[in-house]
Amino acid sequence: MDARQMKIKAAEAALDYVEDGMRLGIGTGSTAEEFVRLLAEKVAAGFRIQGVPTSERTARLCLELGVPLKSLDELPELDLTVDGADEVDRRLRLIKGGGGALLREKIVAAASARMVVIADESKVVDVLGAFKLPIEVNPFGQIATLIAIEKAASRLGLAGDITLRTSGDGPFMTDGGHLILDASFGRIPDAEALAADLNAIPGVVEHGLFIGMASLAIIAGPEGARVLMAA
């Protein structure tokens, strides 16, 4: 089973948690896109949902495939969000934002009664941090914000390059018009402490540590999909 097949297996299993008539947050990324394609087949067969996309990219795919969408302002309280992850540990703490949609992903997840994460087994880790941690920042004062992040990381014993994400010839811009710094910490032993320190930096808009948000994770491997609950 190749990587895409595993993503499809995880997406298929997630559909079991989606009920007719739900208000559904729809995630961003390659695994979430497989979920959108399968969801679109059910919608075409008469399944009713109202979807809230977590990115412009997801919105375009949903509209292309006929998945009905609303804005989060129209549906400010959601029943469920299904989204991928760049890393997930045994306590269902996540790193997200590899696709650059972490702010909207976190807002939508926070507005949902439950969050189901879909991922292949390569994303399961014992300690978060091998994947670069995305940190969304305001363009104003970005150097001062970078220095503050470096100091906060140092106080927690974290080291590694923190680089500005680029796209083409310029910086990558999020849907909200912000920049992303990618922090190569390698290991983040105390994700809660880092999240709190990043939240305290004025120039940080949001970060990719999703803590206490996932209800369960569906992890797909060569033998099929399994459900991971918080340890």
Side-chain angles (χ1 to χ4, degrees):
M1 189 182 298
D2 64 21
R4 186 182 176 211
Q5 289 173 319
M6 286 192 282
K7 292 173 182 178
I8 292 171
K9 284 292 183 185
E12 285 176 341
L15 282 175
D16 290 340
Y17 295 87
V18 181
E19 299 174 5
D20 190 59
M22 267 190 167
R23 300 161 298 175
L24 182 66
I26 304 174
T28 296
S30 58
T31 309
E33 287 176 2
E34 300 297 349
F35 173 78
V36 171
R37 293 186 180 97
L38 294 171
L39 179 66
E41 293 177 4
K42 293 195 68 170
V43 168
F47 196 73
R48 297 169 303 142
I49 63 101
Q50 296 180 91
V52 173
T54 56
S55 67
E56 299 301 325
R57 171 179 160 183
T58 294
R60 286 192 295 270
L61 181 61
C62 287
L63 292 173
E64 176 187 328
L65 298 178
V67 176
L69 296 182
K70 297 284 188 180
S71 71
L72 191 59
D73 287 334
E74 291 173 302
L75 294 178
E77 294 182 317
L78 304 176
D79 301 301
L80 175 70
T81 284
V82 176
D83 203 350
D86 298 302
E87 282 189 345
V88 53
D89 72 8
R90 308 291 175 178
R91 294 168 56 186
L92 296 186
R93 297 178 299 183
L94 317 172
I95 285 182
K96 289 178 53 56
L102 61 148
L103 175 60
R104 293 191 184 184
E105 288 174 333
K106 192 171 281 190
I107 292 172
V108 169
S112 303
R114 302 181 75 200
M115 179 186 187
V116 170
V117 173
I118 49 177
D120 64 81
E121 63 179 11
S122 69
K123 306 298 175 61
V124 181
V125 298
D126 291 324
V127 180
L128 296 176
F131 190 90
K132 295 179 182 180
L133 176 65
I135 305 170
E136 190 162 343
V137 300
N138 196 297
F140 178 81
Q142 62 181 281
I143 301 302
T145 300
L146 170 61
I147 292 170
I149 293 170
E150 290 174 333
K151 289 179 178 177
S154 179
R155 288 194 296 269
L156 294 172
L158 301 175
D161 292 336
I162 302 175
T163 58
L164 178 67
R165 187 180 298 185
T166 58
S167 177
D169 296 328
F172 174 89
M173 301 295 291
T174 70
D175 288 342
H178 305 128
L179 305 173
I180 290 185
L181 300 175
D182 289 308
S184 302
F185 292 136
R187 288 172 60 86
I188 305 172
D190 192 341
E192 287 81 1
L194 179 59
D197 283 0
L198 292 175
N199 287 337
I201 298 172
V204 171
V205 178
E206 194 47 85
H207 54 77
L209 290 168
F210 284 53
I211 299 172
M213 304 191 83
S215 304
L216 60 91
I218 298 171
I219 307 299
E223 306 303 319
R226 62 188 174 91
V227 175
L228 179 64
M229 306 295 290

